[in-house]
């Protein structure tokens, strides 16, 4: 069902138009001025029908605010001048008041059909394992992402992807690479948070034999390995300042120099960077080079968090559930109505990655043919309260069947982790913390994100 927003200050006309559209199967919302329309988030609709002359700002102000949603302008002044002016500003069409019902319905149907046929198609992606998959999502925010991918991919410019952890930044990077002119060259993916600070420069830029203790042979860096192709640096906000200076040289001059070498090598690499952090804010504290930020931010793609993607969450859940069922040989499992409601209302701080893990648990724990909320493992979390509510969830009918032992163990481990990191991070590096905890540096970083433990402030190092 298409959703239409009517913006009209005359209540009689607004009500009559709403009833006309509702009789023909449209879902309609109303606003009396531009400010009221903006409060209803016009980008969440399929079409905006607005009067030209409104109290305060004119209806044409919605054209830019609602984009890419089309705006159909109504005007009492059926002059060619007002109509042409609206079209010049980007209105999809105009109708003159008093309007003919059949003519209006025909115009609405045509605009919605055109909008549907011009919706950006989700890109097909070949993942690291060689299997094909398609990005999922039909909300306005994801439509904007698909359009930006389609326009950016052939341009061979540096791209900065911003979004929370688990929103699919690597999928976007793969889509850009596979739609670019470099699609037959390698795509090298690097998680900057997963490599120890002492090794990151060697990993990225390579080293010569004997350059440092343990360098028993020369090694090609990942930047050089991506020559002719694309280098994807995930969580670039975690890159040390020394490595940032070297990366800036690559972007400015297309040159690298291996550690321990005096020879400069030329590389042709397209860089795609991703982060969940505010790089501009980091530059003000000295944690990220401002000149590198400007070099990275040629084209920016913002990925929306899952909680802001409307009904996309259920579409994604169905696809992930099907894959999980195949992996565990449990075809035919379905989500119960209560589980679907739980998935729709949960805020998903871990985004798609957290959703995938919850469905994996559901497939493993479900008995029978339905997955229930308890199988998803979300009910025990305070974050599982539906957005906008404060009422506590009811206790389970039989608490004895809950996996209390595992829950207590998880809680104690998280408490220990948080206490240890906060106590020792002032005099230990990230690598030392990870070694003491017996986990990888990547795992340390991911737990920091999940528990909201900030990294210690580091003194600014000279990059000259």
């Amino acid at each position: 069902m298409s959703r239409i927003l009517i913006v009209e200050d005359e209540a009689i006309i607004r009500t009559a138009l709403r009833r006309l559209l509702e009789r023909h199967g449209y879902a309609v919302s109303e606003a009396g001025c531009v400010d009221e329309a903006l409060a209803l988030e016009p980008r969440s609709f399929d079409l905006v029908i607005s009067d030209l002359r409104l109290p305060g700002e004119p209806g044409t102000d919605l054209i830019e605010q609602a984009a890419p949603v089309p705006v159909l302008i109504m005007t009492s002044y059926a002059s060619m001048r007002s109509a042409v002016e609206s079209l010049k500003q980007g209105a999809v069409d105009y109708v003159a008041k008093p309007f003919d019902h059949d003519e209006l319905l025909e115009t609405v149907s045509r605009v919605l059909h055109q909008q549907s046929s011009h919706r950006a198609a989700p890109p097909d992606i070949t993942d690291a394992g060689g299997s094909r998959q398609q990005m999922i999502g039909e909300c306005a925010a994801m439509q904007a992402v698909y359009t930006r991918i389609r326009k950016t991919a052939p341009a061979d410019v540096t791209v900065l992807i911003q979004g929370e952890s688990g929103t699919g930044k690597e999928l976007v990077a793969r889509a850009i690479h596979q739609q670019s002119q470099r699609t037959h060259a390698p795509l090298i993916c690097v998680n900057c948070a997963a490599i120890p600070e002492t090794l990151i420069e060697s990993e990225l830029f390579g080293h010569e034999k004997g350059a440092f203790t343990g360098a028993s042979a020369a090694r090609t860096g990942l930047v050089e390995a991506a020559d002719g192709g694309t280098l994807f640096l995930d969580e670039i906000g975690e890159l040390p300042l020394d490595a940032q200076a070297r990366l800036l040289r690559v972007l400015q001059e297309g040159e690298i120099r291996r550690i321990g070498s005096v020879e400069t090598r030329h590389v042709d690499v397209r860089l795609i960077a991703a982060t969940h952090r505010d790089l501009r804010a980091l530059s003000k504290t000295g944690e990220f080079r401002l000149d590198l930020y400007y070099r990275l931010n040629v084209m920016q793609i913002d990925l929306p968090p899952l909680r802001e993607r409307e009904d996309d969450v259920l579409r994604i859940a169905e696809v992930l559930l099907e894959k999980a069922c195949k992996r565990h040989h449990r075809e035919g499992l379905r989500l119960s109505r209560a589980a679907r409601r739980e998935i729709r209302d949960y805020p998903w701080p871990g985004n798609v990655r957290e959703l995938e893990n919850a469905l994996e648990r559901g497939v493993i724990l479900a008995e029978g043919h339905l997955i229930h909320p308890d199988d998803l493992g979300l009910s025990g979390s305070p974050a599982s309260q539906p957005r906008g509510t404060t009422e506590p969830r009811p206790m389970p009918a039989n608490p004895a069947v809950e996996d209390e032992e595992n829950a207590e163990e998880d809680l104690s481990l998280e408490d220990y982790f948080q206490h240890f990191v906060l106590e020792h991070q002032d005099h230990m590096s990230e690598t030392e913390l990870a070694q003491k905890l017996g986990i990888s540096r990547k795992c340390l970083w991911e737990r920091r994100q999940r528990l909201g433990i900030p990294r210690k402030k580091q003194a600014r190092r000279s990059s000259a």
Side-chain angles (χ1 to χ4, degrees):
M1 180 184 295
S2 297
R3 301 180 66 228
I4 299 176
L5 173 62
I6 300 173
V7 189
E8 167 62 67
D9 59 318
E10 295 187 34
I12 295 176
I13 297 177
R14 189 171 67 235
T15 301
L17 184 54
R18 175 177 59 80
R19 289 174 178 172
L20 172 66
L21 293 171
E22 285 179 342
R23 284 200 304 270
H24 288 80
Y26 298 110
V28 181
S29 297
E30 302 177 29
C33 62
V34 170
D35 287 341
E36 289 181 12
L38 294 178
L40 294 175
E41 299 184 359
R43 291 182 180 178
S44 65
F45 292 84
D46 298 297
L47 174 64
V48 176
I49 303 176
S50 176
D51 191 12
L52 177 62
R53 298 185 180 274
L54 294 167
E57 304 299 327
T60 48
D61 275 18
L62 287 168
I63 295 172
E64 182 178 350
Q65 300 281 357
V69 176
V71 176
L72 178 64
I73 292 293
M74 300 183 296
T75 175
S76 301
Y77 308 90
S79 67
M80 186 58 66
R81 176 177 295 180
S82 61
V84 170
E85 192 61 34
S86 298
L87 295 175
K88 281 183 178 180
Q89 294 184 50
V92 67
D93 207 338
Y94 81 99
V95 290
K97 295 191 296 185
F99 43 77
D100 177 80
H101 286 188
D102 291 337
E103 182 181 351
L104 175 68
L105 290 170
E106 182 182 348
T107 302
V108 168
S109 177
R110 173 174 51 80
V111 170
L112 289 172
H113 177 74
Q114 290 175 345
Q115 178 71 0
S116 176
S117 62
H118 288 108
R119 291 178 75 89
D124 288 323
I125 305 164
T126 302
D127 61 23
S131 59
R132 304 274 309 172
Q133 60 178 311
Q134 188 178 65
M135 295 184 71
I136 308 166
E138 297 182 6
C139 68
M142 288 306 295
Q143 288 292 316
V145 170
Y146 302 151
T147 300
R148 187 60 64 92
I149 290 173
R150 177 176 56 82
K151 292 182 177 180
T152 301
D156 205 37
V157 296
T158 304
V159 181
L160 178 62
I161 306 169
Q162 292 198 294
E164 296 179 6
S165 296
T167 49
K169 295 188 286 292
E170 184 172 337
L171 281 180
V172 173
R174 289 188 179 277
I176 293 172
H177 172 72
Q178 290 168 15
Q179 294 185 28
S180 73
Q181 301 173 9
R182 299 173 181 260
T183 184
H184 298 296
L187 168 67
I188 305 296
C189 299
V190 184
N191 188 326
C192 297
I195 304 175
E197 292 181 18
T198 54
L199 297 178
I200 187 74
E201 289 186 63
S202 173
E203 288 289 320
L204 288 178
F205 307 104
H207 62 258
E208 297 293 343
K209 180 179 179 180
F212 51 83
T213 303
S216 56
R219 179 172 180 177
T220 300
L222 295 173
V223 175
E224 195 173 347
D227 190 19
T230 305
L231 177 67
F232 172 55
L233 295 182
D234 196 6
E235 296 305 340
I236 197 169
E238 306 297 321
L239 197 65
L241 286 170
D242 292 342
Q244 291 178 30
R246 285 180 174 268
L247 182 61
L248 183 62
R249 182 72 178 176
V250 174
L251 293 176
Q252 288 178 333
E253 308 296 338
E255 295 177 350
I256 64 166
R257 191 171 64 223
R258 294 181 180 180
I259 297 175
S261 174
V262 296
E263 179 186 354
T264 298
R265 301 167 186 263
H266 289 273
V267 291
D268 175 24
V269 173
R270 180 185 194 174
L271 180 65
I272 301 176
T275 182
H276 74 287
R277 307 180 72 183
D278 185 344
L279 297 185
R280 181 183 285 274
L282 291 179
S283 70
K284 294 179 180 179
T285 62
E287 297 177 75
F288 200 85
R289 294 181 63 111
L290 185 60
D291 48 2
L292 178 57
Y293 167 72
Y294 288 136
R295 283 285 178 176
L296 292 174
N297 196 27
V298 177
M299 187 66 69
Q300 182 172 316
I301 297 178
D302 295 309
L303 280 177
L306 190 56
R307 61 184 171 274
E308 295 178 5
R309 291 180 57 181
E310 304 166 356
D311 293 333
D312 282 356
V313 62
L314 292 176
R315 298 188 185 98
I316 296 171
E318 293 293 345
V319 174
L320 295 178
L321 176 59
E322 183 180 355
K323 292 181 179 179
C325 287
K326 288 181 179 178
R327 280 196 302 272
H328 297 283
H329 308 290
R330 296 204 62 183
E331 286 82 354
L333 273 178
R334 293 183 296 107
L335 293 166
S336 69
R337 182 177 300 177
R340 291 174 65 86
R341 185 166 57 249
E342 182 90 2
I343 288 172
R344 186 192 61 216
D345 293 340
Y346 186 69
W348 299 111
N351 293 293
V352 178
R353 187 179 296 121
E354 184 183 8
L355 173 60
E356 184 174 18
N357 292 339
L359 292 168
E360 192 100 20
R361 283 195 297 271
V363 170
I364 294 171
L365 297 177
E367 297 180 2
H369 298 291
L370 287 178
I371 296 175
H372 298 284
D374 288 347
D375 301 323
L376 297 173
L378 302 176
S379 298
S381 169
S384 64
Q385 291 288 341
R387 292 186 294 276
T389 66
T390 56
E391 294 183 7
R393 289 181 176 268
M395 292 294 291
N398 185 6
V401 302
E402 297 291 325
D403 195 356
E404 295 176 353
E405 184 176 25
N406 286 343
E408 291 173 1
E409 181 182 0
D410 288 343
L411 180 61
S412 63
L413 286 174
E414 289 188 352
D415 285 345
Y416 173 78
F417 175 89
Q418 189 166 9
H419 176 76
F420 184 92
V421 170
L422 291 174
E423 183 177 359
H424 297 286
Q425 68 175 355
D426 288 337
H427 56 272
M428 284 187 181
S429 67
E430 292 293 288
T431 300
E432 291 172 334
L433 283 172
Q435 289 174 344
K436 291 291 185 182
L437 289 166
I439 59 178
S440 67
R441 190 165 175 266
K442 178 182 179 182
C443 184
L444 171 63
W445 174 81
E446 289 177 341
R447 287 194 183 184
R448 276 186 182 276
Q449 305 307 309
R450 181 160 54 87
L451 298 176
I453 306 174
R455 290 181 62 175
K456 64 178 181 179
K457 297 280 186 182
Q458 294 183 347
R460 183 170 185 174
R461 292 174 287 177
S462 173
S463 55

